[in-house]
Short mmCIF file of all heavy atoms in Angstrom, two decimals:
data_model
loop_
_atom_site.label_atom_id
_atom_site.label_comp_id
_atom_site.label_asym_id
_atom_site.label_seq_id
_atom_site.Cartn_x
_atom_site.Cartn_y
_atom_site.Cartn_z
N ARG A 1 3.55 -10.49 -2.74
CA ARG A 1 3.74 -9.32 -3.60
C ARG A 1 2.68 -9.18 -4.69
O ARG A 1 2.58 -8.14 -5.31
CB ARG A 1 5.13 -9.34 -4.24
CG ARG A 1 6.23 -9.06 -3.26
CD ARG A 1 7.57 -8.91 -3.98
NE ARG A 1 8.57 -8.38 -3.09
CZ ARG A 1 8.78 -7.08 -2.89
NH1 ARG A 1 8.05 -6.19 -3.50
NH2 ARG A 1 9.74 -6.68 -2.08
N GLU A 2 1.90 -10.21 -4.92
CA GLU A 2 0.92 -10.17 -6.01
C GLU A 2 -0.46 -9.67 -5.57
O GLU A 2 -1.21 -9.14 -6.37
CB GLU A 2 0.75 -11.58 -6.61
CG GLU A 2 2.03 -12.15 -7.20
CD GLU A 2 2.48 -11.39 -8.43
OE1 GLU A 2 1.63 -11.07 -9.28
OE2 GLU A 2 3.70 -11.11 -8.52
N HIS A 3 -0.81 -9.89 -4.30
CA HIS A 3 -2.17 -9.61 -3.84
C HIS A 3 -2.25 -8.39 -2.92
O HIS A 3 -1.28 -8.01 -2.28
CB HIS A 3 -2.74 -10.84 -3.14
CG HIS A 3 -2.91 -11.99 -4.07
ND1 HIS A 3 -1.92 -12.92 -4.27
CD2 HIS A 3 -3.92 -12.32 -4.90
CE1 HIS A 3 -2.33 -13.79 -5.18
NE2 HIS A 3 -3.54 -13.45 -5.57
N CYS A 4 -3.42 -7.81 -2.87
CA CYS A 4 -3.72 -6.62 -2.08
C CYS A 4 -3.28 -6.81 -0.63
O CYS A 4 -3.60 -7.81 0.01
CB CYS A 4 -5.22 -6.36 -2.15
SG CYS A 4 -5.81 -5.07 -1.06
N LEU A 5 -2.52 -5.84 -0.13
CA LEU A 5 -2.04 -5.91 1.25
C LEU A 5 -3.18 -5.87 2.24
O LEU A 5 -3.17 -6.59 3.24
CB LEU A 5 -1.05 -4.77 1.51
CG LEU A 5 0.29 -4.91 0.81
CD1 LEU A 5 1.02 -3.59 0.76
CD2 LEU A 5 1.13 -5.96 1.51
N LEU A 6 -4.17 -5.04 1.98
CA LEU A 6 -5.33 -4.95 2.87
C LEU A 6 -6.06 -6.29 2.92
O LEU A 6 -6.45 -6.75 3.99
CB LEU A 6 -6.27 -3.83 2.42
CG LEU A 6 -7.44 -3.52 3.34
CD1 LEU A 6 -6.95 -3.09 4.71
CD2 LEU A 6 -8.30 -2.43 2.72
N GLY A 7 -6.20 -6.93 1.79
CA GLY A 7 -6.84 -8.24 1.72
C GLY A 7 -6.07 -9.31 2.47
O GLY A 7 -6.64 -10.28 2.95
N GLN A 8 -4.74 -9.12 2.58
CA GLN A 8 -3.91 -10.07 3.32
C GLN A 8 -3.94 -9.81 4.83
O GLN A 8 -3.36 -10.56 5.60
CB GLN A 8 -2.46 -9.98 2.84
CG GLN A 8 -2.26 -10.44 1.41
CD GLN A 8 -0.81 -10.31 1.00
OE1 GLN A 8 0.08 -10.93 1.61
NE2 GLN A 8 -0.55 -9.51 -0.02
N GLY A 9 -4.59 -8.71 5.22
CA GLY A 9 -4.70 -8.40 6.64
C GLY A 9 -3.82 -7.26 7.10
O GLY A 9 -3.90 -6.83 8.24
N TYR A 10 -2.93 -6.78 6.23
CA TYR A 10 -2.06 -5.67 6.60
C TYR A 10 -2.84 -4.36 6.43
O TYR A 10 -3.52 -4.17 5.43
CB TYR A 10 -0.80 -5.66 5.74
CG TYR A 10 0.04 -6.89 5.95
CD1 TYR A 10 -0.04 -7.96 5.08
CD2 TYR A 10 0.89 -6.97 7.04
CE1 TYR A 10 0.72 -9.11 5.29
CE2 TYR A 10 1.65 -8.11 7.26
CZ TYR A 10 1.55 -9.18 6.38
OH TYR A 10 2.29 -10.30 6.59
N LEU A 11 -2.74 -3.48 7.39
CA LEU A 11 -3.49 -2.24 7.34
C LEU A 11 -2.85 -1.28 6.34
O LEU A 11 -1.94 -0.53 6.64
CB LEU A 11 -3.57 -1.59 8.72
CG LEU A 11 -4.50 -0.40 8.80
CD1 LEU A 11 -5.92 -0.80 8.42
CD2 LEU A 11 -4.48 0.19 10.19
N CYS A 12 -3.32 -1.35 5.13
CA CYS A 12 -2.84 -0.50 4.04
C CYS A 12 -3.87 0.60 3.84
O CYS A 12 -5.03 0.34 3.56
CB CYS A 12 -2.68 -1.33 2.76
SG CYS A 12 -2.02 -0.40 1.39
N LEU A 13 -3.46 1.86 4.01
CA LEU A 13 -4.38 2.99 3.91
C LEU A 13 -4.51 3.51 2.48
O LEU A 13 -5.02 4.59 2.25
CB LEU A 13 -3.92 4.12 4.83
CG LEU A 13 -3.83 3.78 6.31
CD1 LEU A 13 -3.37 4.98 7.12
CD2 LEU A 13 -5.15 3.26 6.85
N GLY A 14 -4.06 2.73 1.50
CA GLY A 14 -4.11 3.15 0.10
C GLY A 14 -5.48 3.50 -0.42
O GLY A 14 -5.63 4.40 -1.24
N SER A 15 -6.51 2.84 0.06
CA SER A 15 -7.86 3.11 -0.44
C SER A 15 -8.45 4.39 0.12
O SER A 15 -9.42 4.91 -0.41
CB SER A 15 -8.79 1.93 -0.13
OG SER A 15 -8.97 1.80 1.26
N VAL A 16 -7.84 4.95 1.17
CA VAL A 16 -8.35 6.18 1.77
C VAL A 16 -7.30 7.31 1.75
O VAL A 16 -7.35 8.22 2.55
CB VAL A 16 -8.86 5.94 3.21
CG1 VAL A 16 -10.04 5.01 3.22
CG2 VAL A 16 -7.75 5.43 4.11
N THR A 17 -6.36 7.23 0.80
CA THR A 17 -5.27 8.20 0.71
C THR A 17 -5.13 8.72 -0.71
O THR A 17 -5.18 7.95 -1.67
CB THR A 17 -3.94 7.54 1.15
OG1 THR A 17 -4.09 7.04 2.47
CG2 THR A 17 -2.79 8.51 1.11
N PHE A 18 -4.92 10.04 -0.85
CA PHE A 18 -4.67 10.65 -2.16
C PHE A 18 -3.54 9.93 -2.87
O PHE A 18 -2.50 9.66 -2.28
CB PHE A 18 -4.24 12.12 -2.01
CG PHE A 18 -5.34 13.10 -2.21
CD1 PHE A 18 -5.53 14.11 -1.30
CD2 PHE A 18 -6.16 13.06 -3.32
CE1 PHE A 18 -6.52 15.06 -1.47
CE2 PHE A 18 -7.16 13.99 -3.51
CZ PHE A 18 -7.34 14.99 -2.57
N GLY A 19 -3.71 9.67 -4.15
CA GLY A 19 -2.70 8.97 -4.93
C GLY A 19 -1.80 9.89 -5.71
O GLY A 19 -1.86 9.93 -6.92
N ARG A 20 -0.94 10.62 -5.06
CA ARG A 20 0.00 11.50 -5.75
C ARG A 20 1.41 10.95 -5.73
O ARG A 20 2.34 11.61 -6.14
CB ARG A 20 0.00 12.88 -5.09
CG ARG A 20 -1.34 13.57 -5.17
CD ARG A 20 -1.30 14.87 -4.43
NE ARG A 20 -1.49 14.60 -3.01
CZ ARG A 20 -1.78 15.53 -2.11
NH1 ARG A 20 -1.88 16.78 -2.47
NH2 ARG A 20 -1.94 15.22 -0.86
N CYS A 21 1.58 9.74 -5.25
CA CYS A 21 2.92 9.20 -5.04
C CYS A 21 3.30 8.11 -6.05
O CYS A 21 4.41 7.60 -6.00
CB CYS A 21 3.02 8.64 -3.63
SG CYS A 21 1.83 7.31 -3.33
N GLY A 22 2.38 7.74 -6.90
CA GLY A 22 2.66 6.64 -7.83
C GLY A 22 2.62 5.29 -7.15
O GLY A 22 3.15 4.32 -7.66
N ALA A 23 2.00 5.24 -5.99
CA ALA A 23 1.86 3.99 -5.21
C ALA A 23 3.22 3.33 -5.01
O ALA A 23 3.38 2.13 -5.20
CB ALA A 23 0.87 3.05 -5.87
N SER A 24 4.20 4.10 -4.60
CA SER A 24 5.56 3.57 -4.49
C SER A 24 5.73 2.57 -3.35
O SER A 24 6.57 1.69 -3.44
CB SER A 24 6.57 4.70 -4.35
OG SER A 24 6.28 5.49 -3.23
N CYS A 25 4.98 2.69 -2.28
CA CYS A 25 5.16 1.77 -1.15
C CYS A 25 4.57 0.38 -1.39
O CYS A 25 5.29 -0.61 -1.33
CB CYS A 25 4.58 2.37 0.13
SG CYS A 25 5.45 3.84 0.67
N PRO A 26 3.26 0.26 -1.65
CA PRO A 26 2.68 -1.09 -1.73
C PRO A 26 3.26 -1.99 -2.82
O PRO A 26 3.79 -3.05 -2.51
CB PRO A 26 1.19 -0.84 -1.94
CG PRO A 26 0.96 0.53 -1.43
CD PRO A 26 2.23 1.28 -1.69
N PRO A 27 3.23 -1.60 -4.09
CA PRO A 27 3.68 -2.56 -5.10
C PRO A 27 5.19 -2.70 -5.20
O PRO A 27 5.71 -3.79 -5.35
CB PRO A 27 3.10 -2.03 -6.40
CG PRO A 27 2.80 -0.61 -6.19
CD PRO A 27 2.63 -0.43 -4.70
N LYS A 28 5.91 -1.61 -5.10
CA LYS A 28 7.36 -1.65 -5.35
C LYS A 28 8.17 -2.07 -4.13
O LYS A 28 9.18 -2.74 -4.25
CB LYS A 28 7.84 -0.29 -5.85
CG LYS A 28 7.21 0.08 -7.18
CD LYS A 28 7.61 1.47 -7.62
CE LYS A 28 6.83 1.83 -8.87
NZ LYS A 28 6.04 3.02 -8.74
N ASN A 29 7.72 -1.68 -2.95
CA ASN A 29 8.50 -1.95 -1.74
C ASN A 29 7.84 -2.93 -0.78
O ASN A 29 8.37 -3.19 0.29
CB ASN A 29 8.80 -0.63 -1.02
CG ASN A 29 9.66 0.28 -1.87
OD1 ASN A 29 10.72 -0.13 -2.33
ND2 ASN A 29 9.20 1.49 -2.11
N ASN A 30 6.66 -3.43 -1.14
CA ASN A 30 5.94 -4.42 -0.34
C ASN A 30 5.63 -3.91 1.07
O ASN A 30 5.69 -4.66 2.04
CB ASN A 30 6.70 -5.75 -0.29
CG ASN A 30 5.78 -6.94 -0.15
OD1 ASN A 30 4.61 -6.88 -0.49
ND2 ASN A 30 6.32 -8.04 0.34
N ILE A 31 5.33 -2.61 1.16
CA ILE A 31 5.03 -1.96 2.43
C ILE A 31 3.62 -1.38 2.34
O ILE A 31 3.30 -0.69 1.39
CB ILE A 31 6.03 -0.82 2.71
CG1 ILE A 31 7.45 -1.36 2.80
CG2 ILE A 31 5.65 -0.08 3.99
CD1 ILE A 31 8.50 -0.29 2.83
N PRO A 32 2.76 -1.61 3.34
CA PRO A 32 1.42 -1.02 3.32
C PRO A 32 1.49 0.51 3.30
O PRO A 32 2.40 1.10 3.88
CB PRO A 32 0.79 -1.51 4.63
CG PRO A 32 1.57 -2.72 5.01
CD PRO A 32 2.96 -2.48 4.50
N CYS A 33 0.55 1.13 2.64
CA CYS A 33 0.48 2.59 2.56
C CYS A 33 0.25 3.16 3.96
O CYS A 33 -0.61 2.69 4.70
CB CYS A 33 -0.66 2.99 1.62
SG CYS A 33 -0.97 4.76 1.56
N HIS A 34 1.01 4.20 4.30
CA HIS A 34 0.88 4.86 5.60
C HIS A 34 -0.11 6.01 5.57
O HIS A 34 -0.40 6.60 6.60
CB HIS A 34 2.23 5.43 6.05
CG HIS A 34 3.28 4.41 6.26
ND1 HIS A 34 3.27 3.53 7.31
CD2 HIS A 34 4.40 4.13 5.55
CE1 HIS A 34 4.33 2.75 7.24
NE2 HIS A 34 5.04 3.10 6.19
N GLY A 35 -0.56 6.42 4.40
CA GLY A 35 -1.49 7.54 4.30
C GLY A 35 -0.81 8.89 4.27
O GLY A 35 -1.39 9.89 4.67
N CYS A 36 0.42 8.96 3.77
CA CYS A 36 1.21 10.20 3.78
C CYS A 36 0.50 11.38 3.10
O CYS A 36 0.63 12.51 3.55
CB CYS A 36 2.54 10.00 3.07
SG CYS A 36 3.58 8.75 3.81
#
């Protein structure tokens, strides 16, 4: 929960997705960003 999901090997699309959601998936729910 402390380190970047992409860095851990999980395909997190957070770096290529508009940030209008408050990043609710990666930090709060421990789920990689889907790119919604």
Side-chain angles (χ1 to χ4, degrees):
R1 289 188 168 272
E2 300 292 317
H3 295 91
C4 172
L5 289 162
L6 187 60
Q8 294 179 60
Y10 296 98
L11 189 59
C12 183
L13 301 180
S15 66
V16 296
T17 302
F18 261 132
R20 298 177 278 194
C21 60
S24 59
C25 295
K28 297 176 186 122
N29 297 307
N30 210 23
I31 299 170
C33 174
H34 297 289
C36 300

